[in-house]
Amino acid sequence: QKEVEQDPGPLSVPEGAIVSLNCTYSNSAFQYFMWYRQYSRKGPELLMYTYSSGNKEDGRFTAQVDKSSKYISLFIRDSQPSDSATYLCAMSSPLNAGGTSYGKLTFGQGTILTVHP
Amino acid sequence: GAVVSQHPSWVICKSGTSVKIECRSLDFQATTMFWYRQFPKQSLMLMATSNEGSKATYEQGVEKDKFLINHASLTLSTLTVTSAHPEDSSFYICSAVGLAGVEQFFGPGTRLTVL
């Protein structure tokens, strides 16, 4: 079983739809949860990151973390064709007891999203 | 946001030659840099973790003699693919972590094609 599971899709939605992207994980040590967007032949771009459980909103994007269920989500409201990309969830755990340093990211497989006009 | 650059963005080389890829953090000091490899339609595969002034830590299955990593300063890490072969053709991406130690910022990637 992979540490992080993400439905690869592909996911195709009409413009204006609400998009829900999800990941599950098995490692309870993960404390930081990130969402990256990657366009074709480009490096990943950090969209949002959250610490521990809860919600975080940034414009049209909302990230949710439920540590009790080991489940994270990214919602995109009023989706646009420019949102068409691969979305990657990623997680990290602290390297030290104080939680001041974090190590490598563990990525999901990525979900390919297409928003058609 | 923090900016990470990579050079070159695209390189074609003959089999048996060595290729060096540079990764720079442009507006912050990176205590740690990571090197990834990505195949088409797949997620990122971590190759190694690089800390300034110390030897890189390689992931299991990654040949350290083939993929040489040097992290000479807080803003520069290099990956050298030695004696490249066609199976080394891939998209190589670096990332950098700032002093805050949480957010990873990725470079634009380098596409390597070995003929």
Side-chain angles (χ1 to χ4, degrees):
Chain A
Q1 182 189 7
K2 294 182 180 179
E3 276 191 294
V4 180
E5 297 277 0
Q6 182 178 6
D7 186 344
L11 184 61
S12 180
V13 302
E15 183 175 356
I18 296 175
V19 176
S20 173
L21 304 166
N22 311 293
C23 290
T24 59
Y25 64 96
S26 57
N27 187 347
S28 57
F30 289 140
Q31 290 192 10
Y32 271 93
F33 305 90
M34 290 90 165
W35 285 96
Y36 286 87
R37 176 174 63 193
Q38 186 177 25
Y39 293 111
S40 180
R41 298 175 180 255
K42 300 290 185 183
E45 170 194 1
L46 180 64
L47 286 175
M48 301 178 70
Y49 76 92
T50 54
Y51 175 75
S52 197
S53 286
N55 292 0
K56 185 174 183 179
E57 188 174 318
D58 184 1
R60 295 186 295 113
F61 299 91
T62 299
Q64 285 186 351
V65 174
D66 182 348
K67 291 194 76 178
S68 63
S69 301
K70 294 188 176 66
Y71 187 88
I72 71 170
S73 300
L74 177 71
F75 297 96
I76 307 174
R77 291 184 299 279
D78 188 25
S79 56
Q80 303 294 310
S82 58
D83 294 328
S84 299
T86 297
Y87 289 79
L88 297 149
C89 65
M91 309 175 186
S92 68
S93 54
L95 290 176
N96 55 21
T100 56
S101 178
Y102 284 76
K104 60 185 182 181
L105 293 177
T106 301
F107 282 90
Q109 299 93 308
T111 300
I112 300 171
L113 171 67
T114 301
V115 181
H116 51 86
Chain B
V3 179
V4 176
S5 70
Q6 277 184 247
H7 178 80
S9 57
W10 188 27
V11 57
I12 301 175
C13 69
K14 293 182 179 180
S15 184
T17 60
S18 294
V19 175
K20 180 184 283 188
I21 302 170
E22 290 187 351
C23 176
R24 293 182 184 271
S25 56
L26 298 185
D27 51 1
F28 67 102
Q29 292 184 324
T31 53
T32 304
M33 289 183 170
F34 300 88
W35 286 95
Y36 296 84
R37 185 173 179 176
Q38 187 176 35
F39 292 103
K41 299 189 186 298
Q42 293 188 25
S43 191
L44 285 76
M45 182 190 80
L46 179 66
M47 298 175 66
T49 302
S50 168
N51 291 295
E52 185 264 339
S54 61
K55 289 184 178 180
T57 302
Y58 291 81
E59 294 298 301
Q60 192 173 12
V62 177
E63 299 176 61
K64 59 182 68 175
D65 293 332
K66 182 168 188 60
F67 298 100
L68 300 179
I69 292 173
N70 185 301
H71 194 155
S73 75
L74 285 173
T75 59
L76 174 65
S77 176
T78 60
L79 168 68
T80 301
V81 183
T82 62
S83 186
H85 290 284
E87 58 266 29
D88 298 323
S89 298
S90 190
F91 193 50
Y92 292 88
I93 310 173
C94 72
S95 70
V97 178
L99 295 178
V102 177
E103 296 171 74
Q104 272 194 41
F105 298 96
F106 284 81
T110 296
R111 185 160 302 282
L112 170 64
T113 301
V114 184
L115 302 176

